[in-house]
Amino acid sequence: VQRPIRGGIPTKEPVYGLPAIWIDDSNKEAAELAGYTVIDPESVLITHLSETISRHAHEFLTREDVQQLVERLRKSQPSLVGEVVPEVVSIGLLQRVLQNLLKENIPVRDLPLVLEALGEHGGKSKSAVLLTEFVRKAISRSITEQFSGPRGLEAITLDPAIEHHLLGRVSQTADTISLSIGPDTANQISQAVAASWRQAMEKGLEGVVVLCDARIRPGLYNLLSRSIRRLPVLAYDEVV
């Protein structure tokens, strides 16, 4: 059981938003004896910078960057690239799909699989958000590896009745997939998930994700990311 630390300044841990306390170096031993995990300022700074870069990685990906990635892949897989870019999807559309992946901390190193998925589905839709969901299924193994902890994935799931309710509230446009629910319902869901996630973090669990039906996944991510930035939201069929 953690005991209070005198003279500490309450704050929040930069990655997961958990309660934390700034203390003077002279209180380090007392804090450890009181049951706290003590982290040096340099590590906090590095963690904060890494989190900031990760959070905004999608904004750094330019069209020129995507063009260079495509040209590099063209040297080893010319047929694949020639069939997909720009015949099926433009560089701009590919950029938006890759940005969507990076926004949710999904690695984009599996560019051949990304292009194969876009080649298969790009003729049916030009919606970047919908194509992103098709791509996610194609790279599900990478997604599972990305978010797994030492014990695999620790999942938070919705009550079946709530999930069924949300399935009837999915709203899709060319640019977004959202959940058409009232603010009270949205707050209740966000608070319940946040509480479950906080309990998992306090237990030291890693690889915590929300698992849900693929049809509500994008909308649920958009809802939860407003208040819980680092919590991944995966579809059941993205876990392999």
Side-chain angles (χ1 to χ4, degrees), residues 100-163:
N100 287 342
L101 295 173
L102 290 173
K103 187 176 182 180
E104 296 193 45
N105 294 312
I106 305 297
V108 296
R109 58 179 176 268
D110 294 323
L111 192 57
L113 288 179
V114 171
L115 289 188
E116 286 178 9
L118 292 177
E120 181 178 354
H121 300 284
K124 308 169 189 175
S125 173
K126 299 303 179 187
S127 166
V129 65
L130 186 58
L131 290 175
T132 300
E133 296 306 302
F134 287 126
V135 168
R136 289 176 63 101
K137 291 178 179 60
I139 61 172
S140 56
R141 188 172 301 279
S142 292
I143 291 177
T144 302
E145 293 175 354
Q146 174 75 5
F147 297 115
S148 293
R151 294 169 38 180
L153 289 173
E154 302 282 349
I156 298 171
T157 58
L158 302 179
D159 182 281
I162 295 176
E163 193 165 42

Side-chain angles (χ1 to χ4, degrees), residues 65-225:
D65 293 331
V66 176
Q67 184 69 58
Q68 291 180 9
L69 289 173
V70 169
E71 293 307 318
R72 191 175 302 131
L73 181 61
R74 191 189 302 275
K75 295 177 182 178
S76 59
Q77 301 194 41
S79 298
L80 172 62
V81 174
E83 291 174 3
V84 180
V85 183
E87 296 300 321
V88 181
V89 296
S90 65
I91 288 293
L93 181 54
L94 175 58
Q95 178 194 14
R96 293 197 296 276
V97 170
L98 296 180
Q99 286 175 328
N100 287 342
L101 295 173
L102 290 173
K103 187 176 182 180
E104 296 193 45
N105 294 312
I106 305 297
V108 296
R109 58 179 176 268
D110 294 323
L111 192 57
L113 288 179
V114 171
L115 289 188
E116 286 178 9
L118 292 177
E120 181 178 354
H121 300 284
K124 308 169 189 175
S125 173
K126 299 303 179 187
S127 166
V129 65
L130 186 58
L131 290 175
T132 300
E133 296 306 302
F134 287 126
V135 168
R136 289 176 63 101
K137 291 178 179 60
I139 61 172
S140 56
R141 188 172 301 279
S142 292
I143 291 177
T144 302
E145 293 175 354
Q146 174 75 5
F147 297 115
S148 293
R151 294 169 38 180
L153 289 173
E154 302 282 349
I156 298 171
T157 58
L158 302 179
D159 182 281
I162 295 176
E163 193 165 42
H164 180 74
H165 173 74
L166 295 180
L167 283 170
R169 297 294 184 272
V170 176
S171 176
Q172 181 177 334
T173 67
D175 300 319
T176 61
I177 297 177
S178 59
L179 299 174
S180 299
I181 56 178
D184 290 342
T185 301
N187 287 335
Q188 290 173 1
I189 293 174
S190 295
Q191 290 174 8
V193 172
S196 296
W197 189 49
R198 192 174 299 111
Q199 291 173 5
M201 291 294 99
E202 290 172 350
K203 292 177 181 177
L205 298 178
E206 298 180 33
V208 180
V209 303
V210 172
L211 280 181
C212 65
D213 189 287
R215 291 167 289 181
I216 67 171
R217 194 215 68 80
L220 186 60
Y221 169 78
N222 289 333
L223 169 64
L224 296 177
S225 63

